[in-house]
Amino acid sequence: APLPWQQILLVFAIVVLAPLGEEILFRGFLYRACAARFGPFWGMALSGLLFGAAHLEWQVFPAFAVLGMVLAHLYRKSGNLWLCIATHAVFNAIGVVLLFSSQYF
């Protein structure tokens, strides 16, 4: 079993670092480049599909691809990458809570 400090680092990586890096990459760069070249719809679709594929968990690929598209839409409408980072962080935090609660209940 991981030590408490290892669990804290893992949660920090999942809830803070992953959303920060992934949103900069997938919405800040990839969505913007695809939308500029192919239009907003295809930008959302392509960046969402690549976001889903990048997680390498094929059983949840559809859900992650849709999440990527929703986050791209949120970015398109708000123009605020921080809002996407926060939304992604909340999504990951819910997953962490569910994972840890399943270990104890």
Side-chain angles (χ1 to χ4, degrees):
L3 298 172
W5 68 269
Q6 291 171 319
Q7 289 180 332
I8 291 168
L9 284 178
L10 181 61
V11 169
F12 181 76
I14 292 169
V15 175
V16 177
L17 297 180
L20 182 63
E22 290 177 359
E23 291 308 311
I24 290 169
L25 175 63
F26 287 99
R27 261 53 73 188
F29 291 114
L30 189 61
Y31 164 73
R32 287 173 49 187
C34 290
R37 182 165 178 119
F38 305 112
F41 173 82
W42 288 109
M44 288 184 282
L46 290 170
S47 65
L49 290 169
L50 289 170
F51 177 77
H55 287 83
L56 302 175
E57 295 185 38
W58 302 111
Q59 65 274 20
V60 294
F61 167 78
F64 282 19
V66 169
L67 174 64
M69 292 176 205
V70 167
L71 289 167
H73 180 71
L74 180 62
Y75 179 65
R76 178 175 176 254
K77 289 297 189 180
S78 71
N80 187 336
L81 196 58
W82 287 108
L83 181 58
C84 297
I85 293 166
T87 303
H88 190 152
V90 168
F91 179 85
N92 285 10
I94 291 168
V96 166
V97 167
L98 293 173
L99 177 66
F100 282 127
S101 66
S102 72
Q103 291 177 354
Y104 298 109
F105 297 108

